[in-house]
Amino acid sequence: MKMMNDLIDESLRDTKTESIAEPEPIQLTREQYEALKLEKGRRETIASYYKYVLKCRPDLKPTHLHEVLANKIQEFLERPGRIDGTEFLLISLPFQTGKTTWGAQSIPSWYMLRHQGTNCIIISYSAAFAGKASAENKRKIEWNLDLWPGAKIGNKWTNDEFEVLFDEKKNIKSTCLSATMSTVNGNPADVVIIDDTCHDSTEANSDTFNNTLEENWLSVVRSRVKVGGKVILMQTRWNMRDIFEVIKSVENPASIETLNIPCECVDPEHDPLGRQLGDGPCPEIGKGREWVQAFKQAYIRKGNLMTWENNYQGNPTIGTGNLFTEKMFRSCEFGKITDKGLIRNDGTTVVWPVVALSIDAALKHEEDNDFNALQVWAKLEDDYFLLHAEKGHYSFPELLESIKRLDSRFKINYRYIEEAANGVAAIDMLNVARVKNVIPVKPEGGKYSRAMSCTWLFHSGKVYFDKTQPWYKEYETSLKQFPKGAHDDDVDATSQALNRMTMIAAHESVPVEVIAASRNWTEDMIEDYLLAAPNEKMYLRSIWGVPPVGIENNSAGLDLMGA
């Protein structure tokens, strides 16, 4: 077969070989170099919302919080809009963390210049405040107009409404107007920025105001957003009727994205800033771990954790009685919770090293009074397990009988009894009976603050339940309804137990005995076990498992798994 070269007519072959000369290096003057450097900086600045704000506000310190915030805003604004309506980004921030600086005072100027021919609307609780944000955007445009070649200030240039022209002949311009929820008018917007819709807590908790807020959203504001448009809400949370909740309740859930940055990190696994438990929001400006822990104490001392949760943690669940939420109640997926121990999934059993009885005693036993709540908790290393919960309108003798019954069922190490109502008499009677480790608990602070002080254990995934127990559903419902529910006995007994058990020394909650998976015992094994000393029996259980019930003094006491 002939090669390709042999098929080419020699008369058509180009026998000349031309060399390609190396291009001459480009020599830049200093002026040209500086111009290119400026152009590179300009492009980087307008391409990044975070860098844009820092360029316009050189007095601001770069912070991780604001970088995360700015990047989320930019990502939301620059992704394609929905073809079936509006998209929402709902952002919750504590007071004094740059909400307005990085929101209503900066987003419009960056967006309307970066996206020619777009309309923005700034909404706030008052015309004056919205106008102030509008004025700051105008200032950013005036002082940084060189960032946007070809752009120039338009004919309208007031705090109520202003425009930037890009092509006067083609009427290509971007506009921005400021208003309140009830006064929005004009052309539909590509982007609406809402910066708090209420002035203070009095207004936020007003039924009249909240009814008007929802009405204004439905009848005025939502009609001013283009199809495919974006709404960014940046606010400090107030309650479960604020504009944050109005939008969530009205709009398509698939179109809503939320970002809550709490003042104190309580959930490291899901924290948007990647913080550790107890860290503050912005250490670069002095609001780090030490600051937030000291700052929070004022609300704890005054029992005003409602304000802390609402305004600073972005968690206004107290408004509907949900300090304890669904995700906080975890099933024990790594084992079965029993009276005497935790049966692990591999069949081995860890005997509870610490078990505590927590009693919230009522003053009277009539049906319309509070319940007596009794709970049995176990602590295993850093985890807590609810073994039993009950409550009832017990008379004083019935309360003592219930305590005696639980004492015989569980191997209880500590007995926490609230030093109030019938609890005082119960403490005296148990002391007379020489019952050990009866610990009177004098309540400190309000019920809410005591409950709040133990929620970090739930948030951290350290509290576990057997959700198949007959008493569990009523228990969970009671906690979820707090503090708006009819009774708070379960919450009081829970907070009393957990707050006290966290004080137990670490070495006390380390497993003392681990029992092997169950197996059939031979007669020789039973004989060896019966002749063994107590410490030897523990060792035999660790290799042979639970002995047959009733082999020792015909007692069921060795049924270590209990009922």
Side-chain angles (χ1 to χ4, degrees), residues 12 197 284 326 382 497 512:
L12 300 176
T197 54
E284 297 91 340
E326 179 72 32
D382 290 330
V512 175

Side-chain angles (χ1 to χ4, degrees), residues 531-556:
L531 295 174
N535 62 329
E536 293 172 333
K537 288 181 178 180
M538 185 182 296
Y539 169 72
L540 292 176
R541 289 194 294 267
S542 71
I543 58 175
W544 293 346
V546 180
V549 175
I551 70 168
E552 195 167 27
N553 299 325
N554 281 328
S555 168

Side-chain angles (χ1 to χ4, degrees), residues 97-378:
T97 48
K99 166 177 56 67
T100 301
T101 299
W102 290 85
Q105 291 185 355
S106 301
I107 294 174
S109 60
W110 179 78
Y111 186 82
M112 61 192 291
L113 287 166
R114 184 168 169 80
H115 300 272
Q116 299 179 9
T118 54
N119 301 326
C120 295
I121 296 176
I122 301 171
I123 295 176
S124 191
Y125 60 79
S126 72
F129 196 79
K132 183 178 179 182
S134 180
E136 177 61 19
N137 280 282
K138 287 168 53 187
R139 186 191 69 81
K140 285 182 170 65
I141 293 171
E142 289 172 337
W143 290 10
N144 298 280
L145 199 59
D146 58 328
L147 291 175
W148 319 94
K152 64 179 182 179
I153 293 171
N155 297 322
K156 295 180 181 179
W157 200 251
T158 69
N159 290 347
D160 294 329
E161 185 175 5
F162 63 89
E163 61 185 22
V164 177
L165 292 174
F166 297 95
D167 191 323
E168 197 164 2
K169 290 182 179 180
K170 295 181 180 179
N171 197 32
I172 299 176
K173 61 184 178 181
S174 293
T175 66
C176 180
L177 64 85
S178 61
T180 64
M181 290 282 289
S182 61
T183 62
V184 179
N185 54 36
N187 295 324
D190 298 277
V191 175
V192 174
I193 302 97
I194 304 175
D195 183 341
D196 268 338
T197 54
C198 57
H199 182 260
D200 53 31
S201 59
T202 301
E203 191 172 65
N205 293 318
S206 164
D207 288 338
T208 301
F209 173 82
N210 287 313
N211 291 335
T212 303
L213 187 66
E214 183 171 317
E215 182 181 335
N216 284 334
W217 174 258
L218 289 170
S219 62
V220 181
V221 179
R222 70 190 308 268
S223 65
R224 298 297 174 183
V225 188
K226 291 180 180 179
V227 175
K230 309 289 182 81
V231 174
I232 298 178
L233 168 65
M234 297 183 68
Q235 74 160 107
T236 296
R237 294 302 306 273
W238 291 99
N239 52 45
M240 293 298 285
R241 296 188 66 189
D242 58 18
I243 188 62
F244 200 102
E245 290 300 323
V246 169
I247 294 174
K248 284 178 65 178
S249 66
V250 169
E251 304 299 339
N252 177 9
S255 68
I256 298 172
E257 182 177 359
T258 61
L259 173 64
N260 177 42
I261 301 179
C263 192
E264 178 191 18
C265 172
V266 294
D267 185 4
E269 184 179 353
H270 302 101
D271 187 73
L273 304 182
R275 295 174 292 179
Q276 296 300 308
L277 187 68
D279 284 352
C282 209
E284 297 91 340
I285 59 174
K287 294 185 176 182
R289 186 182 190 87
E290 291 184 4
W291 172 84
V292 74
Q293 295 305 320
F295 185 76
K296 182 176 68 171
Q297 287 305 309
Y299 299 94
I300 294 175
R301 284 193 294 268
K302 291 297 182 180
N304 191 13
L305 283 172
M306 176 179 175
T307 298
W308 174 255
E309 281 295 298
N310 288 4
N311 300 152
Y312 291 94
Q313 292 298 94
N315 183 35
T317 48
I318 185 173
T320 54
N322 289 328
L323 175 62
F324 296 90
T325 58
E326 179 72 32
K327 67 179 182 179
M328 296 168 68
F329 295 88
R330 289 176 168 83
S331 296
C332 185
E333 297 179 353
F334 50 87
K336 177 176 174 56
I337 300 172
T338 71
D339 288 2
K340 303 300 190 297
L342 178 69
I343 304 177
R344 293 169 173 164
N345 292 337
D346 63 2
T348 61
T349 300
V350 182
V351 177
W352 301 124
V354 178
V355 178
L357 170 63
S358 179
I359 302 169
D360 179 63
L363 183 60
K364 298 178 181 179
H365 67 275
E366 283 79 6
E367 290 297 316
D368 57 348
N369 289 113
D370 288 336
F371 291 98
N372 292 274
L374 296 88
Q375 297 172 7
V376 180
W377 289 83

Side-chain angles (χ1 to χ4, degrees), residues 329 371-373 375 386 389-393 465-482 487-491 494:
F329 295 88
F371 291 98
N372 292 274
Q375 297 172 7
L386 182 58
E390 66 176 73
K391 61 183 179 182
H393 294 292
F465 304 93
D466 180 355
K467 296 187 178 183
T468 65
Q469 292 292 337
W471 45 260
Y472 174 75
K473 192 62 181 177
E474 184 180 2
Y475 169 84
E476 180 185 318
T477 300
S478 178
L479 263 66
K480 285 181 178 179
Q481 291 176 346
F482 177 79
H487 300 283
D488 49 31
D489 323 277
D490 286 320
V491 174
T494 297

Side-chain angles (χ1 to χ4, degrees), residues 434-552:
R434 296 186 178 181
V435 176
K436 295 182 179 180
N437 293 330
V438 176
I439 303 173
V441 178
K442 187 174 182 179
E444 296 181 1
K447 290 177 180 289
Y448 184 80
S449 62
R450 295 199 300 271
M452 180 60 198
S453 64
C454 73
T455 55
W456 71 273
L457 292 170
F458 288 82
H459 283 298
S460 301
K462 295 183 177 297
V463 183
Y464 296 95
F465 304 93
D466 180 355
K467 296 187 178 183
T468 65
Q469 292 292 337
W471 45 260
Y472 174 75
K473 192 62 181 177
E474 184 180 2
Y475 169 84
E476 180 185 318
T477 300
S478 178
L479 263 66
K480 285 181 178 179
Q481 291 176 346
F482 177 79
K484 298 297 183 181
H487 300 283
D488 49 31
D489 323 277
D490 286 320
V491 174
D492 283 347
T494 297
S495 63
Q496 178 173 267
L498 294 179
N499 287 330
R500 299 293 302 190
M501 293 180 81
T502 56
M503 303 178 190
I504 294 174
H507 70 272
E508 289 189 55
S509 58
V510 174
V512 175
E513 181 177 4
V514 178
I515 302 172
S518 297
R519 56 183 292 188
N520 293 325
W521 284 40
T522 65
E523 290 185 6
D524 288 342
M525 292 167 65
I526 293 174
E527 182 179 357
D528 289 344
Y529 183 82
L530 291 173
L531 295 174
N535 62 329
E536 293 172 333
K537 288 181 178 180
M538 185 182 296
Y539 169 72
L540 292 176
R541 289 194 294 267
S542 71
I543 58 175
W544 293 346
V546 180
V549 175
I551 70 168
E552 195 167 27

